[in-house]
Amino acid sequence: MKELRLAKKIIKTLVKDRIQYPGRLLADTLTTSGRCVVLLLLYYYVFNLKGGLINNTTFIVAAWSIFFYFAFMNLNLRNIARLIMADVQSGNIEVLLNKPISYLLYRSWWQIGAGLYSFLVVTLLGSVALILIIGIPSTMTIALFLPTVFLTFLMAVVLSLLIYIIVGLLSFWIIDINPVFWLIDKMVMILGGSYLPVALFPNFLYQISIYSPFGASQFITHVVYESWQMNWYWLILVQIFWIIVLGLAVYFMFRSVKKKVSINGG
């Protein structure tokens, strides 16, 4: 209960802060819409050249898949890695580890709260714009769609946090994690279907995307495909598997970290 109250307070405070200072929302909206619009226009042209169908995928399905990727990225969960690095480099980690709350839970809820407002607004406005401009695919009208989207979204949030927490915890050993961060981030972008929809991947890359934690953290981009209706339970099981594996990795890394840090500054 204490953790839930803390989470609610953190999220409420950060959302109110973002509402009071709309500059961040404007920047996030312009960045997301700019990249997404350019990419969708490019794919619209390509799909027209190919007769409207590529790999048995229509433009409208590919467009929604790309949009879901960019909308999810507005949560900015990746930034938790750099927050952990900043805590380590500044020495603030010693103070935070001495608090009666879990440091990793505190940082996770902080990151969710920091990006939640932008995510909700961009997702709502972007969804309305896409519906009015290109419509919605039939795969988004079935009863299965909303509950499985919600479930895979929650799994994607947890898995993304775990991936970037591991990157952040590496700062206890290598100080500057930026090279590792860039490498992992690019793998998430490529395998998650950021600029090339997953349905258009060659088979070997598609298999890597499905069975790697980097692709699994972005399964939200799969929900519009027809294959989702048959494979959703399997893909969610893949997410659960990686959450368990990476959760154990975080547990052992953090236990080692606490041994390295002297709470009293000695």
Side-chain angles (χ1 to χ4, degrees):
M1 291 298 296
K2 180 174 65 176
E3 287 79 8
L4 290 177
R5 287 196 298 270
L6 174 66
K8 182 179 179 181
K9 184 175 182 180
I10 290 173
I11 291 175
K12 185 177 180 180
T13 300
L14 290 173
V15 168
K16 281 185 176 180
D17 179 70
R18 294 300 185 270
I19 293 173
Q20 292 296 322
Y21 300 95
R24 175 64 181 274
L25 174 62
L26 179 62
D28 289 342
T29 304
L30 291 177
T31 300
T32 301
S33 59
R35 292 177 180 176
C36 199
V37 167
V38 169
L39 200 58
L40 293 183
L41 288 174
L42 174 62
Y43 275 106
Y44 178 76
Y45 178 72
V46 172
F47 271 87
N48 280 340
L49 286 179
K50 295 293 184 178
L53 200 66
I54 303 177
N55 269 15
N56 294 318
T57 302
T58 61
F59 169 71
I60 188 173
V61 170
W64 277 96
S65 176
I66 292 170
F67 169 70
F68 282 148
Y69 173 85
F70 281 102
F72 183 74
M73 290 303 289
N74 264 281
L75 272 174
N76 202 24
L77 302 176
R78 59 212 284 265
N79 197 49
I80 193 172
R82 286 175 168 157
L83 284 178
I84 294 173
M85 181 177 69
D87 288 337
V88 174
Q89 292 179 345
S90 66
N92 194 40
I93 187 68
E94 295 184 1
V95 176
L96 293 174
L97 284 178
N98 204 25
K99 298 294 183 181
I101 58 173
S102 168
Y103 169 73
L104 294 182
L105 281 178
Y106 163 73
R107 273 291 170 227
S108 295
W109 287 119
W110 182 278
Q111 198 56 50
I112 290 172
L116 184 61
Y117 181 60
S118 293
F119 165 75
L120 292 175
V121 173
V122 168
T123 301
L124 177 61
L125 294 180
S127 297
V128 171
L130 278 184
I131 291 171
L132 293 176
I133 295 171
I134 67 173
I136 60 175
S138 59
T139 52
M140 291 176 59
T141 61
I142 61 175
L144 186 69
F145 179 75
L146 287 179
T148 56
V149 166
F150 180 71
L151 185 56
T152 198
F153 170 77
L154 292 181
M155 297 296 174
V157 168
V158 175
L159 187 51
S160 295
L161 286 171
L162 289 174
I163 290 172
Y164 288 105
I165 284 173
I166 289 174
V167 175
L169 290 177
L170 289 176
S171 60
F172 284 91
W173 289 275
I174 60 175
I175 307 301
D176 185 4
I177 62 164
N178 280 314
V180 179
F181 175 85
W182 292 327
L183 175 63
I184 298 299
D185 201 45
K186 293 302 180 287
M187 292 180 70
V188 170
M189 289 177 62
I190 293 170
L191 297 176
S194 57
Y195 296 107
L196 179 65
V198 177
L200 306 186
F201 282 4
N203 185 60
F204 80 93
L205 189 58
Y206 179 78
Q207 295 301 319
I208 295 174
S209 172
I210 290 294
Y211 294 108
S212 72
F214 313 111
S217 68
Q218 304 298 317
F219 276 172
I220 192 70
T221 62
H222 291 243
V223 298
V224 294
Y225 300 122
E226 290 186 5
S227 60
W228 179 255
Q229 301 173 41
M230 299 174 290
N231 298 333
W232 66 269
Y233 58 91
W234 172 249
L235 296 182
I236 289 175
L237 284 176
V238 171
Q239 287 182 308
I240 293 173
F241 169 78
W242 281 116
I243 286 172
I244 293 172
V245 171
L246 298 187
L248 288 172
V250 167
Y251 171 78
F252 287 112
M253 287 180 71
F254 192 58
R255 190 170 69 171
S256 178
V257 159
K258 288 192 287 187
K259 291 179 181 178
K260 290 174 66 70
V261 177
S262 174
I263 303 300
N264 295 321

